[in-house]
């Protein structure tokens, strides 16, 4: 969704490999060992975190829409205050999740 693919392509190779493999596993119906539910979004919205040379990179995706993987947001966490995902990034995830639901139709429950 959005610019996620382009942003991911700008990440360091080691980060692209970790996040790319996690997304591949999601497409195959599996869950990467580092994938964790993103708080506040219910089941099916997952986050994978990759640290590289003191920087933190994240990919947020959903698998709740008919077995399809929608990458909602990919970003480098810049905030130095704790591990929490910045509010602006959470708002973007919510906006893109709504859009993915519109594109796909109602979520499978």
């Amino acid at each position: 969704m959005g610019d996620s693919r382009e942003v991911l392509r700008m990440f360091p190779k080691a980060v692209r490999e970790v996040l790319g493999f996690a997304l591949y596993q999601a497409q195959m119906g599996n869950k990467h060992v580092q994938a964790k539910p993103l708080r506040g979004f219910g089941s099916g919205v997952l986050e994978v975190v990759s640290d590289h040379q003191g920087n933190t990179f994240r990919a947020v995706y959903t698998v709740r829409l008919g077995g399809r993987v929608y990458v909602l947001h990919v970003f480098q966490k810049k905030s130095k205050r704790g591990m929490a995902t910045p509010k602006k990034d959470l708002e973007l995830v919510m906006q893109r999740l709504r859009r993915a639901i519109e594109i796909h139709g109602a979520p499978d429950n």
Side-chain angles (χ1 to χ4, degrees), residues 15 21 35 37 40 45 50-51 87 95 98 101 105:
V15 173
F21 184 62
V45 177
S50 178
D51 292 319
K87 184 178 179 184
Q95 176 186 2
R98 286 189 200 116
I101 291 169

Side-chain angles (χ1 to χ4, degrees), residues 1-35:
M1 302 293 300
D3 63 352
S4 296
R5 180 180 292 177
E6 291 79 20
V7 172
L8 181 60
R9 287 181 176 158
M10 292 187 293
F11 287 174
K13 183 179 181 190
V15 173
R16 288 193 317 265
E17 289 174 351
V18 170
L19 299 181
F21 184 62
L23 295 171
Y24 169 76
Q25 285 192 306
Q27 290 173 325
M28 297 295 107
N30 300 314
K31 183 179 163 194
H32 190 271
V33 67
Q34 292 177 274

Side-chain angles (χ1 to χ4, degrees), residues 23-24 29 40 42 46 51 61 68 82 84 86 92 94 98 101 103 106:
L23 295 171
Y24 169 76
L46 302 155
D51 292 319
Y61 62 95
R68 292 195 177 155
L92 184 56
M94 181 57 77
R98 286 189 200 116
I101 291 169
I103 291 168

